[in-house]
Amino acid sequence: MRSEIISVTTGSRETVHDITAECADFVRAQGEDGLLHVFVPHATAGIALLELGSGSDDDLLAALGDLLPADDRWRHAHGSKGHGRSHVMPALIPPYATIPVLGGRMALGTWQSVALIDLNVDNRQRQVRLSFLSD
């Protein structure tokens, strides 16, 4: 298995951050069939495969806001208001995704992208581990 870590700056607001290009570069360098595993080793972030742009990013953040409001209901209560919801989010959007790779290219659907989902406005820097298991 080959592996590398990429750094992602998410900023100071909730974000859906596209990492498709970094993933594509990593698997292209492998040049063979296999599996790409994308993992974010943070308790408050997730990895999603979804259509980006055309409002989908904002729709996802709005849906998460409805499901996990940024208010004072959370028992895990350090950090910014509603921080506890960031610790619940990975149960809904897991911290990983596995993608088939064929001929050095991710076998994503036409509109699928790989995104880092981050509701934690207190942590602006994320690490994402890309691992490749060859066929």
Side-chain angles (χ1 to χ4, degrees), residues 7-82:
S7 292
V8 178
T9 302
T10 57
S12 59
R13 61 184 185 157
E14 299 173 355
T15 188
V16 175
H17 188 89
D18 188 357
I19 59 170
T20 309
E22 292 91 334
C23 293
D25 290 345
F26 177 70
V27 299
R28 190 176 309 110
Q30 310 312 313
E32 56 187 313
D33 294 354
L35 292 173
L36 169 66
H37 188 74
V38 183
F39 176 71
V40 57
H42 298 281
T44 58
I47 300 294
L49 302 179
L50 73 158
E51 177 183 5
L52 296 176
S54 69
S56 298
D57 334 33
D58 293 333
D59 288 343
L60 176 59
L61 291 175
L64 289 171
D66 290 344
L67 289 169
L68 305 169
D71 58 22
D72 293 327
R73 74 184 66 202
W74 307 100
R75 290 184 185 106
H76 186 106
H78 72 84
S80 60
K81 185 176 182 177

